[in-house]
Amino acid sequence: MSDRVIRITAQESALVDTSAVVGLQQSVGTLRCQEMVEDAIYQITERLAKLERAEREQDYETASEIAHVLVELTNRIGLPRMSVVATDLADVLRLGDTIAISAICARLIRLGEDSLFTLVRLGGDGV
């Protein structure tokens, strides 16, 4: 029997890619950028709560769908570390490794909270 090994990238880069947020602000304007950031914060928060529930209930199909949406959302709004961890989660969900799923979900939720608080503080400084 051979076990599959997935390499999980543990990076310690910035929580928020400010250049992505500044680029968004320059392309759509300050007010629209703030609206988009606020909307993304809401969507990510909602999905993290649903992910936590799906993992607790072992609803891995829903968790996988949420992980893929989180990859898209976090890439769009400049949260690279969250995107990497959401990708790691999608990978282990595909393999069905319940221990890794629980660990990575917990990490994604903690990182999500930290990232969103950082994004809110950044937004409070005029994005």
Side-chain angles (χ1 to χ4, degrees):
M1 172 190 257
S2 87
D3 291 332
R4 292 186 190 197
V5 176
I6 293 180
R7 183 182 183 144
I8 297 175
T9 310
Q11 298 175 225
E12 294 305 319
S13 58
L15 292 175
V16 177
D17 177 3
T18 55
S19 65
V21 177
V22 169
L24 181 62
Q25 182 182 25
Q26 290 173 342
S27 67
V28 298
T30 302
L31 185 59
R32 180 66 184 127
C33 178
Q34 282 182 307
E35 291 170 352
M36 291 173 74
V37 168
E38 289 169 5
D39 183 57
I41 289 169
Y42 172 77
Q43 288 183 43
I44 292 168
T45 301
E46 181 180 42
R47 281 174 179 79
L48 287 173
K50 288 180 180 180
L51 176 64
E52 189 171 29
R53 184 173 45 253
E55 190 274 327
R56 186 175 53 248
E57 295 171 357
Q58 295 184 341
D59 180 357
Y60 298 140
E61 183 177 328
T62 298
S64 181
E65 292 169 8
I66 293 168
H68 286 93
V69 170
L70 283 171
V71 170
E72 285 182 35
L73 284 171
T74 55
N75 276 329
R76 185 178 344 146
I77 205 65
L79 301 173
R81 284 179 57 194
M82 272 192 76
S83 179
V84 167
V85 177
T87 300
D88 291 341
L89 178 59
D91 290 343
V92 298
L93 281 161
R94 192 171 32 261
L95 294 177
D97 183 340
T98 56
I99 294 170
I101 291 168
S102 293
I104 295 173
C105 267
R107 180 170 183 232
L108 182 58
I109 291 165
R110 283 189 313 270
L111 180 60
E113 291 171 355
D114 291 345
S115 297
L116 293 175
F117 281 123
T118 300
L119 193 56
V120 166
R121 282 192 302 273
L122 179 66
D125 293 337
V127 185

